[in-house]
Amino acid sequence: MTLKELRPGQSARIEAVDAHRPGVLRLMVLGLIEGAEVRYRNSAIGGDPMELSVFGTAISVRKQQADSFRVTPLPADV
């Protein structure tokens, strides 16, 4: 599963990153790295870009770039 496949409100842990794609290194500098927990907060009309929360910061990510991040979904908060 990739970040692109998350649904609003869903959380996940980044397991692997394909850093060869354009713009991905910039997102890694902003905190989207292996082991980081992210939450899909919202998206623009049409779903692109998507707003993610990582380390308490909101980051906008295009779905094309989000496809570079392999994730494992986390259990929903109870």
Side-chain angles (χ1 to χ4, degrees), residues 16-58:
V17 181
D18 179 2
H20 294 93
R21 293 174 126 174
V24 173
L25 287 177
R26 178 187 64 85
L27 294 172
M28 292 176 72
V29 169
L30 294 174
L32 294 179
I33 57 174
E34 292 177 6
E37 292 184 11
V38 297
R39 183 174 184 91
Y40 185 173
R41 302 305 255 173
N42 207 348
S43 63
I45 295 174
D48 199 15
M50 54 195 301
E51 179 186 352
L52 303 172
S53 177
V54 59
F55 298 116
T57 302

